[in-house]
Amino acid sequence: FQLYGYCYQDSNDIPDTLTTITELGSPLEMIQLLQTSWEDRFRICLSLVRLLHYLAHSPLGSVTLLDFRPRQFVIVDGELKVTDLDDASIEESSCTTNSDCFMEFPARNFTLPCSVEGRCQSMNEKRNLYNAYRFFFTYLLPHSAPSSLRPLLDKIVNATGNHTECGNTKYCFFHPGLSVSSEFTQKCVKSANTKYRRVPEAFIPDENYRCWPSYHHKGCLLSVFDVNEAIEICDSYSQCKAFVLTNQTTWTGRQLVFFKTASNHIMPDPDKITYVKVTD
């Protein structure tokens, strides 16, 4: 969370008070997040992974968030940031045997190894990771995910929930065997057989229909890797008869495309390309 300034006040009325001035963020509402595109939810999960990695390797040591719940976070420019550090702790639990390193959660429990130094190994990081799984990953990652990525996402969700393959926080998202961040921007659809007529520098202003998820509340605006993926999406909707490629992209570089129910009224637009389904 970006700190813009602070003020230390010590008076008879308010002793030892520190006031901080931070950037403004939007409260995190899980129901609203589930209504956004998968790409935006994936971005939030990536920012959470980066945050957890920093907490595990901070200058103070490994930091755990004892009150790890959605209300402790805000959204700033599409990124997830922690806003309440009152319950943060850098104390790693001491132990004499593995049984002293017992972590209890509502759904399951874990026992971590006790190190030769008498500390529970990576307990702070493991606690953060499992809480990220049960409060964020399990809801935001699988829901309406691209079909080509679901096997990888299942591995990530299972690994974070089981503490198996996630030896450290970044492993699940950035390890070559479980990399979603790169796979999502790759071409993962095959060309369709449907014929479309390409109309350069053209736009269809009306003929909208609603789809979910969409970047536009009154129309069907989705992100695609290329024209072939746009064709596949249009073919999957019975009402889709055309689509318009815009010059706008999402944060991953995927192109935004409007899908239309007809092409009766086409207008000139130098920044767009329209594809019209050819009917026999």
Side-chain angles (χ1 to χ4, degrees):
F1 208 59
Q2 183 68 42
L3 177 67
Y4 290 125
Y6 62 91
C7 177
Y8 178 74
Q9 182 177 3
D10 188 5
S11 65
N12 294 329
D13 297 330
I14 311 175
D16 301 328
T17 298
L18 179 67
T19 302
T20 60
I21 304 170
T22 60
E23 60 187 321
L24 182 65
S26 302
L28 193 151
E29 299 290 344
M30 191 60 66
I31 293 180
Q32 292 180 1
L33 285 183
L34 292 174
Q35 296 173 347
T36 63
S37 70
W38 182 87
E39 192 172 356
D40 286 343
R41 284 183 274 118
F42 176 59
R43 183 183 185 183
I44 290 172
C45 289
L46 276 181
S47 61
L48 177 57
V49 168
R50 296 187 184 101
L51 169 64
L52 297 184
H53 181 74
Y54 175 80
L55 293 176
H57 304 88
S58 80
L60 299 176
S62 183
V63 180
T64 187
L65 302 179
L66 298 176
D67 190 14
F68 194 114
R69 282 180 286 183
R71 68 184 184 186
Q72 308 288 7
F73 299 86
V74 295
I75 303 294
V76 180
D77 296 329
E79 302 276 341
L80 188 72
K81 298 192 177 185
V82 64
T83 184
D84 189 350
L85 293 173
D86 290 347
D87 296 303
S89 173
I90 60 173
E91 296 294 328
E92 291 276 16
S93 299
S94 59
C95 59
T96 55
T97 65
N98 290 350
S99 60
D100 295 328
C101 301
F102 182 74
M103 289 197 304
E104 185 176 6
F105 295 97
R108 64 176 306 168
N109 305 320
F110 300 96
T111 300
L112 301 179
C114 180
S115 69
V116 294
E117 294 83 10
R119 296 289 178 181
C120 297
Q121 291 184 12
S122 304
M123 177 170 278
N124 286 347
E125 182 176 10
K126 296 289 189 180
R127 182 184 288 112
N128 287 341
L129 186 60
Y130 187 76
N131 280 326
Y133 155 79
R134 70 190 186 105
F135 285 117
F136 291 95
F137 298 154
T138 190
Y139 297 110
L140 300 182
L141 281 178
H143 183 55
S144 71
S147 58
S148 61
L149 295 181
R150 284 172 188 163
L152 287 174
L153 294 172
D154 288 341
K155 289 182 181 180
I156 289 175
V157 173
N158 291 334
T160 54
N162 295 328
H163 277 185
T164 53
E165 299 179 48
C166 290
N168 61 70
T169 308
K170 276 194 172 182
Y171 182 97
C172 282
F173 278 78
F174 299 105
H175 187 275
L178 296 175
S179 176
V180 175
S181 50
S182 61
E183 294 245 358
F184 183 58
T185 59
Q186 299 301 310
K187 181 179 178 180
C188 52
V189 296
K190 56 186 178 181
S191 299
N193 295 324
T194 310
K195 292 183 179 180
Y196 285 79
R197 177 170 57 90
R198 184 177 184 272
V199 185
E201 299 185 356
F203 177 63
I204 303 173
D206 302 312
E207 315 294 353
N208 291 312
Y209 68 92
R210 293 183 178 181
C211 67
W212 187 89
S214 173
Y215 287 91
H216 194 281
H217 68 283
K218 291 185 178 180
C220 187
L221 180 64
L222 304 174
S223 70
V224 302
F225 176 82
D226 60 6
V227 174
N228 285 332
E229 186 173 1
I231 290 174
E232 184 182 64
I233 293 174
C234 190
D235 287 345
S236 67
Y237 288 98
S238 59
Q239 64 267 54
C240 183
K241 306 301 180 185
F243 59 87
V244 180
L245 297 180
T246 72
N247 61 352
Q248 296 176 295
T249 58
T250 64
W251 67 278
T252 59
R254 288 167 61 88
Q255 194 169 11
L256 289 177
V257 177
F258 278 105
F259 294 88
K260 304 288 184 173
T261 60
S263 57
N264 298 324
H265 182 48
I266 299 180
M267 295 183 59
D269 191 320
D271 297 324
K272 296 179 177 63
I273 302 174
T274 293
Y275 285 79
V276 180
K277 185 180 292 187
V278 177
T279 56
D280 297 331

